[in-house]
């Protein structure tokens, strides 16, 4: 398969929505009245999905192979007979893949939950999304759902500090951006390329706004291990290859016998955002898609997969943490950042010039416009 540069792939991703919008402008249907909240039980939705054929394809944003395997198995266990595939790839590749599939007239994904928040507003405007209010819709905080039910968040994700307590005492672990400039951490930091991941780019943009571009000059003197993907950065710390990172998420309650700890800054603002999901109007398996999103919104499924904050108002925060409103973060600002694609692309180029190109293959290994045989 031909390999594309970051700039070439970005150009395709940016151009495709414009072509699609122009092609569909004369035939776009007006947005319908928001639907009522789903009233069927999960078991009733399961029967409807089986009657439809029992298949489901979900595109999930992530950066390691099979990152959603546990979620996929939990769904199949809860709903026997369902042939579900939850395929993980970088959100910036999944959204380009979806646009290409729509342009080719054959959509593979029934549902997508991605980090590229700007896509959901665009797909809504293009009338590509199927409005749906899953079971327990009213339990989801209003700021995390579209008023017309075109999309809604399934989780809140925060990136901050992860460190290995076998390599750095918890009391000495870096917590704020300036801490990572400590000479004691030289050769002991792993970070994700900011020009390869927009969530990490947002983190670096905020750091530069606070400390200037000179911060990046000083950070580059720390002999940083740069990697593609945020989970690979966390794994490098967990496995002892490096002592700390600030470009990864992590569970508030550490796993038993794990040396990895996740900690929020003492003073700095940190990045959080609502990972967002939607059903496509052209989905081949709409009944299964409705089942999936209603299950994902259910309290039991939410508690089982929540490592940080939930989008539901009735799910407690794990690890003794407080509600997100009590911390120095704003989970709604990232959407505004993502919508300014001219600025985002300029920042990517600036960081690439300073750090160098993102080296290595796609960390998920996913390739091609279509990923499963449906």
């Amino acid at each position: 398969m031909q390999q594309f540069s970051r700039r070439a792939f970005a150009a395709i991703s940016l151009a495709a929505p414009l072509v699609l919008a122009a092609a569909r402008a004369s035939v776009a249907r007006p947005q319908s009245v928001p639907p009522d909240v789903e009233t069927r039980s999960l078991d009733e939705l399961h029967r409807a999905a089986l009657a439809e054929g029992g298949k489901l394809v979900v595109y999930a944003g992530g950066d390691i192979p099979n990152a959603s395997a546990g979620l996929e198995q939990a769904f199949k266990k809860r709903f026997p007979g369902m042939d579900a595939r939850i395929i993980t790839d970088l959100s910036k590749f999944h959204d380009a893949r979806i646009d290409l599939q729509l342009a080719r007239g054959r959509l593979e994904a029934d549902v997508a939950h991605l980090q590229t928040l700007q896509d959901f507003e665009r797909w809504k405007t293009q009338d590509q999304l199927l409005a749906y209010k899953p079971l327990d819709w009213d339990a989801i905080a209003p700021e995390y759902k579209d008023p017309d039910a075109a999309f809604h968040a399934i989780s809140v994700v925060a990136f901050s500090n992860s460190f290995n307590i076998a390599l750095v005492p918890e009391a000495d672990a870096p917590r704020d951006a300036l801490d990572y400039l400590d000479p004691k951490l030289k050769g002991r930091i792993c970070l994700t390329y900011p020009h390869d991941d927009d969530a990490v780019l947002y983190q670096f943009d905020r750091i530069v706004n606070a400390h200037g571009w000179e911060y990046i000059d000083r950070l580059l003197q720390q002999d940083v291990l740069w990697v593609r993907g945020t989970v690979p950065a966390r794994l490098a710390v967990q496995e002892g290859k490096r002592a700390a990172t600030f470009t990864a998420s992590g569970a508030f309650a550490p796993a038993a016998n794990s040396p990895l700890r996740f900690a929020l800054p003492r003073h700095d603002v940190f990045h959080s955002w609502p990972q967002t999901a939607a059903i496509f109007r052209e989905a081949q398996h709409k009944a299964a898609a409705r089942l999936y999103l209603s299950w994902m919104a259910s309290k039991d499924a939410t508690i089982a997969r929540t490592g940080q904050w939930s989008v539901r108002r009735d799910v407690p925060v794990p690890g003794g943490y407080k509600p997100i409103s009590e911390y120095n973060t704003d989970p709604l600002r990232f959407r505004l950042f993502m919508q300014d694609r001219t600025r985002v692309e300029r920042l990517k180029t600036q960081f690439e010039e300073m750090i160098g190109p993102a080296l290595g293959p796609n960390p998920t290994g996913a390739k091609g416009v279509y990923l499963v045989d449906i």
Side-chain angles (χ1 to χ4, degrees):
M1 178 182 175
Q2 182 180 4
Q3 296 297 313
F4 292 94
S5 68
R6 182 190 65 76
R7 289 187 177 90
F9 208 108
I12 293 172
S13 300
L14 289 168
L18 299 177
V19 173
L20 283 168
R24 298 176 186 269
S26 62
V27 297
R29 297 179 291 272
Q31 290 292 320
S32 58
V33 176
D36 293 331
V37 177
E38 179 64 78
T39 57
R40 291 172 293 178
S41 68
L42 288 176
D43 289 339
E44 290 172 324
L45 290 167
H46 182 199
R47 289 194 288 272
L50 289 174
E52 180 188 61
K55 294 183 178 295
L56 174 69
V57 178
V58 178
Y59 281 3
D63 50 24
I64 59 171
N66 301 317
S68 300
L71 182 64
E72 180 181 299
Q73 290 304 314
F75 179 78
K76 291 178 178 179
K77 181 178 180 179
R78 173 63 180 84
F79 304 108
M82 293 298 299
D83 179 12
R85 292 291 310 279
I86 305 177
I87 304 170
T88 302
D89 198 7
L90 303 181
S91 293
K92 66 177 181 179
F93 293 159
H94 266 333
D95 67 348
R97 186 173 285 121
I98 289 165
D99 284 333
L100 286 168
Q101 291 175 8
L102 289 169
R104 293 162 69 97
R106 181 168 76 88
L107 180 67
E108 179 177 74
D110 301 307
V111 176
H113 37 84
L114 305 173
Q115 171 185 292
T116 49
L117 304 185
Q118 78 282 1
D119 288 318
F120 294 93
E121 292 283 0
R122 174 174 62 83
W123 285 326
K124 177 186 175 183
T125 300
Q126 295 172 357
D127 200 30
Q128 298 290 0
L129 302 181
L130 181 68
Y132 182 59
K133 292 181 179 178
L135 286 167
D136 292 352
W137 174 260
D138 293 335
I140 300 173
E143 62 267 28
Y144 296 139
K145 53 192 180 185
D146 175 61
D148 298 316
F151 52 84
H152 63 276
I154 57 170
S155 62
V156 177
V157 183
F159 281 175
S160 190
N161 310 287
S162 290
F163 52 89
N164 188 316
I165 57 174
L167 299 178
V168 56
E170 191 159 355
D172 298 334
R175 299 284 290 272
D176 295 309
L178 292 176
D179 296 340
Y180 285 83
L181 303 182
D182 187 332
K184 294 179 181 178
L185 286 176
K186 186 171 183 177
R188 307 179 72 198
I189 301 168
C190 181
L191 297 174
T192 305
Y193 291 105
H195 40 292
D196 196 41
D197 185 300
D198 285 356
V200 177
L201 184 72
Y202 180 76
Q203 286 184 286
F204 273 79
D205 182 45
R206 297 187 69 85
I207 290 172
V208 169
N209 287 338
H211 303 293
W213 285 101
E214 294 79 6
Y215 178 92
I216 306 301
D217 292 329
R218 296 175 64 190
L219 183 66
L220 291 174
Q221 297 174 15
Q222 289 288 75
D223 188 22
V224 173
L225 171 62
W226 296 96
V227 298
R228 296 193 67 189
T230 61
V231 175
R234 186 179 73 221
L235 291 175
V237 174
Q238 181 176 320
E239 294 167 2
K241 298 175 182 177
R242 289 293 189 273
T245 184
F246 60 78
T247 61
S249 185
F252 287 160
N257 301 318
S258 172
L260 195 68
R261 296 293 183 272
F262 181 83
L264 300 178
R266 293 187 177 91
H267 307 293
D268 286 351
V269 175
F270 64 92
H271 178 32
S272 62
W273 78 94
Q275 191 84 336
T276 297
I279 301 172
F280 291 98
R281 184 179 292 278
E282 296 183 22
Q284 298 185 47
H285 313 112
K286 294 182 177 65
R290 293 185 178 100
L291 168 65
Y292 179 76
L293 287 189
S294 277
W295 175 69
M296 289 283 280
S298 68
K299 190 171 184 178
D300 287 347
T302 299
I303 291 173
R305 71 174 194 278
T306 296
Q308 296 186 338
W309 293 283
S310 170
V311 298
R312 288 182 62 117
R313 293 176 287 188
D314 58 350
V315 171
V317 186
Y321 280 70
K322 297 178 290 187
I324 195 170
S325 59
E326 298 189 34
Y327 292 98
N328 195 12
T329 187
D330 182 352
L332 303 183
R333 289 188 63 85
F334 185 50
R335 187 182 301 277
L336 300 176
F337 175 82
M338 293 291 278
Q339 288 171 341
D340 190 350
R341 301 312 298 171
T342 299
R343 183 166 184 270
V344 166
E345 290 304 315
R346 182 173 65 251
L347 283 168
K348 286 182 180 180
T349 302
Q350 290 172 331
F351 280 107
E352 183 171 331
E353 287 299 318
M354 294 196 72
I355 299 170
L359 301 178
N362 177 355
T364 70
K367 296 180 180 179
V369 177
Y370 294 97
L371 301 175
V372 297
D373 182 11
I374 58 174

